[in-house]
Amino acid sequence: RVVDLGRNWGFSGGINRGIAACTSPWVFILNNDTEVDPHAICACAEVLAAQPPGCLGVVPKLLFLDNRHLIDAVGNAIDAWGAAFNVGIGQLDVGQYDRVERSFGPCFAAALLRKEAFDDDHVGPLDESYFMYYEDVDWNWRANLFGYHFVTAPAARVYHVHSGASRALDYSFKYHLIERNLLATVLKNFEGRRAVRVWARRLAAHGRNVVRGPYRRASAKVVRDA
């Protein structure tokens, strides 16, 4: 069943409206630049069924579509400066992640989640002001702050192009959204002093970019939006 959204609401807005139209207790979020292994959804469901209610979802193993021996993501994580990264990206898949274990949260290219997690009395919907990029990081972060958790489902394999929707655009488009949304995510989820340090460091870097490049215009938009 296709839900006609009428216009482009961005990734976060599209996901929110798609989930709102679902009637099942679980939802499988999936990007349009993916190929799903036939056993992947069953493997995710087997893991989620064995978890307590505090586990909001499971993280499949994302592999690159054009090189299926290389990992794209086994969930996402953040560093001390609020920068998000895909766990395991670029690594040769030799079984190093082949056990069910705790994860910061899924990359929303593919994830099996409890639908109730998007209700206001749990984590709530994705932040639509993000449009795209970091909306899954922010949502995962909020879930962790509220005491929920996620686990991996390594037997579930999904093959992903990675940035398939935006690679035809100039990189400044992606750069602006990533940098803007990083600052928003840090402001919302980090403790105050650490957030101030991150903002000072990132805004100083963007100030240099405005003067020297690269991405002068995109950095100026980040500073304006911040």
Side-chain angles (χ1 to χ4, degrees):
R1 184 163 58 91
V2 177
V3 178
D4 184 357
L5 303 183
R7 66 176 179 87
N8 182 5
W9 293 89
F11 183 85
S12 48
I15 292 293
N16 284 340
R17 285 159 180 76
I19 289 173
C22 291
T23 57
S24 62
W26 295 354
V27 293
F28 192 73
I29 293 175
L30 188 66
N31 270 19
N32 62 347
D33 56 355
T34 56
E35 179 183 309
V36 183
D37 183 87
H39 182 62
I41 296 178
C42 288
C44 286
E46 289 168 5
V47 171
L48 186 55
Q51 302 303 313
C55 177
L56 294 186
V58 296
V59 178
K61 182 189 290 183
L62 287 175
L63 301 161
F64 285 107
L65 184 66
D66 59 354
N67 192 335
R68 302 186 178 207
H69 300 293
L70 292 181
I71 293 171
D72 178 29
V74 186
N76 59 33
I78 52 167
D79 66 15
W81 293 97
F85 60 93
N86 288 354
V87 175
I89 187 168
Q91 295 179 17
L92 185 66
D93 182 16
V94 292
Q96 67 269 45
Y97 296 103
D98 284 356
R99 60 188 180 277
V100 176
E101 58 187 345
R102 286 284 291 268
S103 170
F104 175 75
C107 167
F108 273 28
L112 181 66
L113 302 165
R114 300 187 193 274
K115 183 177 183 290
E116 66 181 7
F118 294 87
D119 296 340
D120 287 335
D121 56 350
H122 290 81
V123 184
L126 295 174
D127 186 338
E128 295 189 14
S129 70
Y130 281 47
F131 192 76
M132 60 192 299
Y133 302 120
Y134 266 83
E135 69 290 309
D136 52 353
V137 178
D138 170 62
W139 193 86
N140 293 338
W141 206 334
R142 283 188 278 139
N144 280 274
L145 289 173
F146 293 151
Y148 299 110
H149 68 277
F150 305 91
V151 297
T152 61
R157 290 174 168 80
V158 177
Y159 306 102
H160 184 215
V161 173
H162 194 94
S163 294
S166 61
R167 61 174 51 189
L169 302 173
D170 187 88
Y171 184 72
S172 61
F173 169 82
K174 182 175 181 178
Y175 178 85
H176 164 244
L177 289 176
I178 286 176
E179 292 294 328
R180 183 197 71 177
N181 294 346
L182 183 158
L183 290 172
T185 302
V186 165
L187 182 66
K188 291 172 62 178
N189 299 294
F190 260 165
E191 294 176 347
R193 290 183 179 179
R194 179 175 289 184
V196 169
R197 288 197 297 269
V198 173
W199 268 59
R201 181 176 177 175
R202 305 298 289 204
L203 290 179
H206 288 301
R208 290 192 297 270
N209 284 354
V210 170
V211 176
R212 306 174 189 170
Y215 310 119
R216 288 187 174 91
R217 182 174 297 179
S219 282
K221 289 173 66 178
V222 171
V223 173
R224 178 200 67 191
D225 293 348

